[in-house]
Structure formats: C-alpha cells, structure tokens
Amino acid sequence: MRNHEKLWYKNSIIYQIYPRSFFDSNGDGYGDFQGIISKLDYLSDIGIDCIWIMPTYKSPLKDDGYDISDFYSVYEPFGTIEDLKKLFTEIHNHGMKVITDLVLNHCSDQHTWFQEARRDKHSKYRDYFVWSDTDQKYSETRIIFVDSQKSNWTWDAEADQYFWHRFYPSQPDLNYDNPEVREEMKNVMRYWLNMGIDGFRADAVPYLFEREGTINENLPETHAYLKELRKMMDDEFPGTILLCEANQWPEDVRQYFGDGDEFHLGFHFPLMPRIFKSIGQQDASSLVNILKATPDIPENCQWCTFLRNHDELTLEMVNQEDRQWMWDFYAPDKAMRMNLGIRRRLYPLLENDRNKIGLAYSLMLTLPGSPVLYYGDEIGMGDDISQFDRNGVRTPMQWDDSLNGGFSTSITTYLPVIDDEVYGYHKVNVKKQLKDPDSNLNWLKNLIRIRKESIALGEGDIRWLTQGENIPVLAYKRQTKNETIILIHNMTENEVSINLSVDTGIYRDMLQPSVLFYSNSMMSLHLKPRAFYWLNKEQ
Ligand code: NOJ
C-alpha cells in the first residue's frame, strides 16, 4: 500500500449519517441500510471519502442507539446484518471508506449482561459493571448530562446496590478493571472489523476506568487499554483506523494520539465553538489562541474539524464567560439550550446567511484536520427545537418536495420532517439544489472539490500571518514541500483593506481561478464583508 493510501484519513472528507433519518427504503417510517445504499451515488458525487455511520446495534433507543443491548446484532428496523454487510460493500464499491460507532464505555440496561448482573450477585456478569453500596464514591466526577442527571450513581432495587453511569441511568458503565470485559470488547471490535469496515468512531473514551481521588477522565489505565485496542487492530486488521471522541482540552486530547500508537484521528472539540465565537464576535483571536495552545501531534495522526453533529453544540470546552456569551448570542430562546450546549443546526445558528456560513465552512475546510460533515448540513437543513432532547437536529433528510421530504412514503415517520417557511422540505431539498448551480449543496460541493485538489490543505503545516488580541482579518499559510496556500478570512461585516507580508510571487485564487494576486513580499488586498480567499502560490 502506498503511503498516501495508508494515511488516507489524514486528508479525507468524512460524512456523518444518522441512519434513522437518512432514507427509508421500505416505507415503514424509519431510515434503513437499503436506504443509505440507494443514496451512495449522491454522497460520492459530493466528494465524500469516508462515511461514519452512527450506531446500528440492537438497542431500546433510550439514547438513540448509544445504549446497546446486543453488540452482535442490528436494530431491526434498519434491516439485517446481511443488509449492513451489503452497505459496507457498496460503500467500498463507490470508492469510499466506512467507519461505525464503537461504544466502549457502557451498554444498555437491557443488555443480558446487565440483566444477569442485577439479578444475581454471583453471576459472572455482576463484575461487568461498577457497583457500590453508597453513592458517595468517586465524588470528584462531573456530571455530563447536567439537565437531567443529579448523580452518576443510580440505585438498583433488584441488585440492592448502586451502579455507576456517566450518561443516562439506562446506560450502565462497563467495568474495565475486569479482564473479561476488556476481552469482550476486543471481540466486539473483531466481529465488526471482520465484516470489512475501515475503522471506528470511538464514543466517550475518556471515561473507561474509575479511580478514587481522580476526576475519572483520561486516566493512564484508559490510555493503556486504548493502546491495546490499537495494537490489536494494527496486528489483525492492518490499515483500519480509530477516531477519538474525547470532548477535552487540547493537551488532554493530545494524549489520545499517544506516540502515534493510540488514535489516528481525534475531534478538535475546543476549536468548534471558537469558530462560532470568532464569527459572532468578528474576531478570530479565540480560534487562533486555541490552535496555538494545541500541541503538535504525531506524523501519522490527524485532527478532525467539524461544525455540527448529532449532539448539542457542546460548550464544555469554553470558560463560563464564553459559554454565557455563546448562549446569549446563539441560543437566545432557552429551549435552544441543552446541558452545556446548544441544540441547533448550522444554518439556523448562522441565520441562514451564506456569508457567515461561508466563513464557517472555509475555516472547517482549511484549518488543520479532516473535515466531518453532518448529514443535512450540506443543503442547509433547519432544526426543530420542539422535539425532545437532541432529536431536533436529527430530523429526516430532505430529499425532495414530496411527502415527508421524500424521506419516506409512510404516513407517519418516527420524527416529523421539517416543514417551516425557511427550512422546510418544500424549500430546502436535495433534488431542487442539485439543479441549481448556486444552491447550498453545489456551493459546498465546489468548496470540497477545490479543497481536495490541494495536499497542503489536508496535510500542510500552519503558520499564522495575522496575530494579536483582536483579529478582524484572519490569515494563515498552509504549506507542504511543493505547495503554499494563503488563507484569508475577513471575519467582519465591513469592507477591509489589509497588507499581508507573504512570500514574493503570483498567487491564484483557488475559488475563482482567473483571479491573480501579486506579492512583492507584501500583498495588498481589499476584502468584501466576510469574504474569504484561498490563494495558491504559482510554482
Ligand atoms: C457521545 C455521543 O455523541 C452521544 O450522542 C451519546 O449520548 C453519548 N456519547 C453517550 O454514548
């Protein structure tokens, strides 16, 4: 395998699919595997390199599939394991990779392991979970779902003890001090890797082990186990990858890359809210500061940039002052807030304003990392905050202007399709946007195409060309041996003229290739409000 093929994940566009909402092929109101298969041409045409399919396991869906009741079977309405295998094969036939969710930290309380464990103190499964006679243990541990949880312990009358859970009580944490659990989960991975997937997005990895007197996150024992998993993958399934979901500060996420022997990819959680803050405050300094505070990562690793996903826009990785500012600015209606975050989609957050959304996408596509796109954000779908929990950002994909936005022929769907004036399926849908060269979809597709022409945008170094306490115009350089690209973003709503100190030469605007800029060690530019440029130095 050639090196760039081996390192494909370092420069990939990843697309996140929530299977329940993508496409319903059999008219039962739920999205399914066959439905995704029928839309693969659409995805490869956008330029997607890798699809991340959210949980497909058997589950009572108390946390939308992140509560797994059997790691070896699939949620029935999605189809059969054979259908899923076919989906993996078809994704590969379309020249794309596929990763699935690996949920290590917990399972569903409906899982037979937990059922046995609570029923019988002497069952071997008792020790698969974390029990206590008091709810005072591990008191330094924070609560993640702060809106609904008061404690990480829940009393189980049948077991006559408390059990430990970092998320909902329907998701008991597995006990990683038990070697059998560690082995079980390796086997789960082997089972899915044998089916030919290219890797996993590993859910909630900071919380695997518990130790009294700690905050029970990012513990050395957790890293040691994750390294074991990586080694197993390298030995038995070479070329497969791990993407880390650790909503932590940069120096803590850095640990998950190890010496290039733990995770290949990691979401940059602290960067994401700072992209929104920078756009809202018309000042990119917070974004620059967090990236400057981000340690280097090993050569074979990569960040993932993203704007939105299936959860609330998390504000855990900002301070209280910034969190309040983000809430006031982006979630003025309290119903838009959830836990420490904002349950809204990209387009409504940025007021459906192509200029602001352009800045967001340009930053996501040109800052270091492999970008991860959330389904529906390519067409500019809206959200529905009347829905429970995070369901408002998980509504059916809008394919056309027929019944249910073309998502399903069923009279009722598990969640209603968005049908409002601005974001409703009559207005915002794939079919319409494919035909319109200036649609959200074609506009983003073009940005993705251009990003993919450049190795430097995927793998180049970053050098900041604008600095300071206030950065109204953000400029940086991405560079490899053979390529130099200057990225310039006017973060403000005003026209701005700037002089940038850049290497002498001719620069071609990658977004409008007939436009050239010249630098005689200094480049002068006049920028429209919220304009951005991707300038490629002619060799
Ligand atoms: C992170 C997932 O993104 C979220 O949706 C889920 O609720 C928790 N992990 C628990 O699995």
Side-chain angles (χ1 to χ4, degrees):
M1 203 187 264
R2 291 205 303 277
N3 206 36
H4 76 269
E5 285 172 0
K6 223 168 84 197
L7 299 180
W8 61 268
Y9 54 87
K10 284 194 68 171
N11 193 357
S12 278
I13 311 284
I14 303 172
Y15 186 94
Q16 177 185 357
I17 291 187
Y18 174 55
R20 264 220 284 186
S21 278
F22 204 59
F23 185 65
D24 170 14
S25 72
N26 60 359
D28 65 357
Y30 290 82
D32 48 46
F33 300 139
Q34 286 295 346
I36 303 176
I37 292 175
S38 68
K39 299 297 181 185
L40 293 176
D41 285 345
Y42 165 73
L43 295 177
S44 64
D45 190 45
I46 299 177
I48 303 306
D49 300 300
C50 176
I51 299 178
W52 157 26
I53 304 179
M54 287 173 59
T56 57
Y57 306 83
K58 187 168 180 205
S59 164
L61 301 187
K62 293 280 163 46
D63 183 14
D64 240 338
Y66 286 98
D67 50 325
I68 297 168
S69 54
D70 180 356
F71 289 97
Y72 297 100
S73 47
V74 293
Y75 177 64
E76 262 174 46
F78 289 162
T80 62
I81 292 240
E82 288 312 311
D83 297 330
L84 183 54
K85 276 191 199 158
K86 182 153 176 255
L87 171 58
F88 297 153
T89 307
E90 285 300 316
I91 291 174
H92 288 147
N93 289 344
H94 279 76
M96 296 182 280
K97 309 274 186 191
V98 56
I99 61 175
T100 59
D101 255 289
L102 173 69
V103 186
L104 293 166
N105 182 65
H106 45 265
C107 62
S108 160
D109 61 357
Q110 302 305 305
H111 197 293
T112 49
W113 297 343
F114 191 73
Q115 294 292 325
E116 289 289 315
R118 63 159 37 140
R119 192 172 308 135
D120 179 2
K121 237 185 187 124
H122 305 291
S123 149
K124 76 161 190 166
Y125 295 113
R126 185 73 167 201
D127 193 41
Y128 271 39
F129 299 92
V130 181
W131 302 96
S132 166
D133 292 329
T134 89
D135 58 357
Q136 299 305 307
K137 266 175 98 176
Y138 309 141
S139 58
E140 287 159 57
T141 315
R142 72 184 165 122
I143 288 169
I144 296 171
F145 289 161
V146 287
D147 282 358
S148 54
Q149 304 306 305
K150 293 274 165 289
S151 169
N152 289 310
W153 291 107
T154 288
W155 176 254
D156 191 79
E158 200 177 345
D160 201 25
Q161 276 194 308
Y162 291 96
F163 66 90
W164 180 249
H165 55 89
R166 294 304 303 271
F167 299 95
Y168 290 124
S170 48
Q171 293 162 295
D173 273 33
L174 288 164
N175 174 19
Y176 278 89
D177 277 320
N178 181 343
E180 276 190 47
V181 168
R182 299 202 294 271
E183 208 42 46
E184 288 269 13
M185 296 314 286
K186 268 191 207 164
N187 287 336
V188 167
M189 293 170 75
R190 288 186 177 107
Y191 177 77
W192 292 101
L193 289 164
N194 266 323
M195 249 180 243
I197 57 169
D198 300 287
F200 297 106
R201 176 264 192 194
D203 184 72
V205 290
Y207 321 117
L208 302 187
F209 283 79
E210 296 77 32
R211 290 291 176 265
E212 197 55 81
T214 74
I215 59 164
N216 290 313
E217 301 191 7
N218 314 320
L219 296 181
E221 292 83 349
T222 295
H223 285 290
Y225 178 62
L226 292 168
K227 284 195 169 80
E228 258 181 54
L229 300 183
R230 166 67 181 268
K231 182 158 182 340
M232 180 276 283
M233 288 172 74
D234 285 351
D235 290 348
E236 299 174 32
F237 304 92
T240 56
I241 61 142
L242 278 173
L243 160 58
C244 172
E245 194 228 3
N247 188 355
Q248 301 284 330
W249 292 100
E251 58 276 19
D252 293 322
V253 184
R254 169 65 188 84
Q255 303 302 317
Y256 289 89
F257 294 112
D259 295 321
D261 58 355
E262 209 170 312
F263 280 86
H264 303 77
L265 293 167
F267 288 111
H268 203 312
F269 276 98
L271 172 63
M272 181 276 296
R274 287 169 179 81
I275 292 180
F276 287 96
K277 181 183 168 197
S278 299
I279 294 170
Q281 297 196 342
Q282 305 185 36
D283 162 19
S285 55
S286 66
L287 178 165
V288 173
N289 290 341
I290 202 75
L291 286 174
K292 281 189 176 165
T294 298
D296 289 341
I297 57 176
E299 196 52 35
N300 60 341
C301 295
Q302 180 63 295
W303 291 104
C304 279
T305 55
F306 67 106
L307 297 171
R308 290 295 297 111
N309 62 22
H310 62 293
D311 289 326
E312 66 275 30
L313 187 167
T314 160
L315 300 173
E316 278 161 308
M317 292 302 123
V318 297
N319 64 27
Q320 180 53 38
E321 189 189 330
D322 281 349
R323 187 176 304 138
Q324 198 56 52
W325 184 86
M326 287 284 290
W327 269 331
D328 293 342
F329 194 80
Y330 285 117
D333 178 342
K334 295 246 162 54
M336 295 169 172
R337 303 177 190 181
M338 189 187 156
N339 297 323
L340 295 185
I342 300 174
R343 47 188 208 118
R344 301 185 70 194
R345 266 199 185 253
L346 177 68
Y347 268 68
L349 275 166
L350 296 178
E351 295 167 310
N352 214 5
D353 176 338
R354 179 72 76 79
N355 290 333
K356 291 182 191 165
I357 294 155
L359 283 179
Y361 270 136
S362 176
L363 293 166
M364 177 179 89
L365 291 168
T366 64
L367 287 169
S370 284
V372 184
L373 259 177
Y374 184 49
Y375 89 93
D377 281 354
E378 73 275 26
I379 53 172
M381 268 171 54
D383 48 47
D384 179 356
I385 55 167
S386 72
Q387 297 299 329
F388 177 65
D389 204 306
R390 291 151 291 178
N391 284 354
V393 299
R394 301 177 183 181
T395 59
M397 180 72 179
Q398 297 168 198
W399 293 105
D400 57 39
D401 64 1
S402 66
L403 177 73
N404 301 316
F407 159 71
S408 171
T409 53
S410 171
I411 302 298
T412 51
T413 54
Y414 89 97
L415 270 181
V417 65
I418 303 252
D419 189 15
D420 63 33
E421 287 281 296
V422 185
Y423 301 103
Y425 65 93
H426 292 287
K427 195 121 196 248
V428 175
N429 67 61
V430 170
K431 189 172 174 196
K432 189 167 155 198
Q433 294 198 13
L434 281 171
K435 285 191 227 142
D436 171 3
D438 190 42
S439 65
N440 295 338
L441 177 61
N442 282 321
W443 168 69
L444 179 66
K445 213 153 98 177
N446 194 39
L447 290 180
I448 291 174
R449 181 184 57 77
I450 296 166
R451 139 106 199 197
K452 290 177 73 156
E453 283 167 3
S454 152
I455 299 282
L457 287 180
E459 297 174 26
D461 303 337
I462 185 158
R463 288 263 312 278
W464 302 105
L465 303 177
T466 43
Q467 319 263 1
E469 283 188 7
N470 185 288
I471 306 182
V473 176
L474 171 65
Y476 46 94
K477 176 156 84 171
R478 302 290 315 272
Q479 196 165 30
T480 54
K481 232 177 8 203
N482 303 318
E483 221 187 343
T484 301
I485 301 188
I486 308 290
L487 292 311
I488 305 163
H489 297 85
N490 177 6
M491 304 301 294
T492 76
E493 61 196 354
N494 308 314
E495 296 206 8
V496 184
S497 293
I498 54 153
N499 293 315
L500 276 181
S501 162
V502 294
D503 297 340
T504 300
I506 302 173
Y507 291 78
R508 187 175 294 280
D509 184 356
M510 295 168 75
L511 306 173
Q512 305 171 74
S514 58
V515 178
L516 297 176
F517 290 84
Y518 302 89
S519 170
N520 190 355
S521 81
M522 198 57 94
M523 184 189 283
S524 300
L525 292 119
H526 185 78
L527 304 167
K528 294 231 167 69
R530 297 200 170 92
F532 57 91
Y533 289 94
W534 301 2
L535 306 183
N536 193 340
K537 186 163 187 282
E538 305 247 74
Q539 299 301 321

